[in-house]
Amino acid sequence: DSGVTQTPKHLITATGQRVTLRCSPRSGDLSVYWYQQSLDQGLQFLIQYYNGEERAKGNILERFSAQQFPDLHSELNLSSLELGDSALYFCASSPGTGATEAFFGQGTRLTVV
Amino acid sequence: GESVGLHLPTLSVQEGDNSIINCAYSNSASDYFIWYKQESGKGPQFIIDIRSNMDKRQGQRVTVLLNKTVKHLSLQIAATQPGDSAVYFCAENADQAGTALIFGKGTTLSVSS
C-alpha cells in the first residue's frame, strides 16, 4: 500500500458528462501529480500541484482541470467527456517540489460510453 | 511531447536469467531518473532511482546504469523471477519545472519458469 488513496476505483459515464476524481496523498506529502494511462500507452503527465498551487503542467486538455485543497487532497475534473477519455487516471504524491520518487495510487478506471 | 522512450516493447526471459531493460532519453537537462514497475491492475511501484551525478546505482537484485553521453538508461535485474513479470517504465524529470516525472511507453517483461 503506497499510502495514496484514489476514489472511485471504477467509473462509467456517458459522453458529454462531467466527472470528478479524488486523490488523498500520503500523509505529509505536499505535491500531488495526475497522470493518464490509456490502453497500451505510457503514463501521460497531466498536472502537478504543490501545497495548493499549480506547479507544473503537462499534456492536460482544456476540458480537464484540477485543484488541491487546504487539506492537500486533490480533485481532477473531466468535462465534456469523449470516448477517447476512457483511461486509467493515476494520482501520485511526493514530499516536496524537487524531483524525487513519487508514490502512486491504485488509479481510477474511467470508461466513457 | 515525450522525451523518454524504450528500445523494446517486450522482453521474454527464463527464470534465473539476468534481464536488461533499456531506455533512451532526449532531454539533456534532466537530472533525475527513475524506474517503476507496474503489475496488472496496480499503480506503478518504485524500483530504483539515480541522479545525473552518478553513473551506476545498485539495489536489491537491481542495478541502474546511466550513460549521459549517449542519453541512455538501463535497468538490470539479476536472477529474474516470475514475480518480476510486469511492465517497466523509465521516467525523467523533463518538465519545465524539473519536478514532474515524464514517462516512456514501457517494456513488458515476461518471465517463464
Side-chain angles (χ1 to χ4, degrees), chain A residues 35 37 44 48 97 99 102, chain B residues 2 36 38 51 99 101 105:
Chain A
Y35 289 85
Q37 186 175 38
Q44 299 285 329
Q48 176 197 1
T97 59
Chain B
E2 291 182 356
Y36 278 91
Q38 186 177 24
R51 296 203 178 268
T99 60
L101 295 173
K105 288 193 185 299

Side-chain angles (χ1 to χ4, degrees), chain A residues 31-68:
Chain A
S31 276
V32 169
Y33 311 80
W34 285 98
Y35 289 85
Q36 179 193 57
Q37 186 175 38
S38 303
L39 191 64
D40 296 330
Q41 293 291 314
L43 290 125
Q44 299 285 329
F45 168 63
L46 297 178
I47 198 163
Q48 176 197 1
Y49 277 81
Y50 173 75
N51 204 21
E53 300 289 328
E54 183 183 304
R55 174 73 178 169
K57 213 165 187 176
N59 300 321
I60 188 166
L61 299 173
E62 286 192 10
R63 300 184 285 110
F64 296 0
S65 64
Q67 53 185 328
Q68 187 179 27

Side-chain angles (χ1 to χ4, degrees), chain B residues 93-105:
Chain B
N93 62 329
D95 69 300
Q96 284 189 333
T99 60
L101 295 173
I102 306 301
F103 286 75
K105 288 193 185 299

Side-chain angles (χ1 to χ4, degrees), chain B residues 22-84:
Chain B
N22 295 305
C23 174
Y25 67 95
S26 59
N27 190 339
S28 56
S30 296
D31 59 7
Y32 178 73
F33 305 88
I34 191 168
W35 283 98
Y36 278 91
K37 171 186 180 184
Q38 186 177 24
E39 296 173 294
S40 182
K42 296 185 178 180
Q45 293 176 283
F46 171 84
I47 302 174
I48 192 167
D49 59 2
I50 189 168
R51 296 203 178 268
S52 59
N53 59 353
M54 301 174 70
D55 297 323
K56 178 179 179 179
R57 191 158 187 232
Q58 287 184 291
Q60 188 176 15
R61 281 201 307 119
V62 294
T63 301
V64 56
L65 298 177
L66 176 63
N67 185 330
K68 294 180 286 294
T69 302
V70 295
K71 296 190 199 130
H72 184 267
L73 191 69
S74 68
L75 175 70
Q76 300 178 359
I77 305 173
T80 314
Q81 302 168 0
D84 294 326

Side-chain angles (χ1 to χ4, degrees), chain A residues 66-89:
Chain A
Q67 53 185 328
Q68 187 179 27
F69 295 86
D71 67 352
L72 301 177
H73 91 271
S74 179
E75 293 181 354
L76 179 67
N77 301 296
L78 314 176
S79 62
S80 303
L81 285 167
E82 303 174 359
L83 296 177
D85 296 327
S86 295
L88 268 168
Y89 290 85

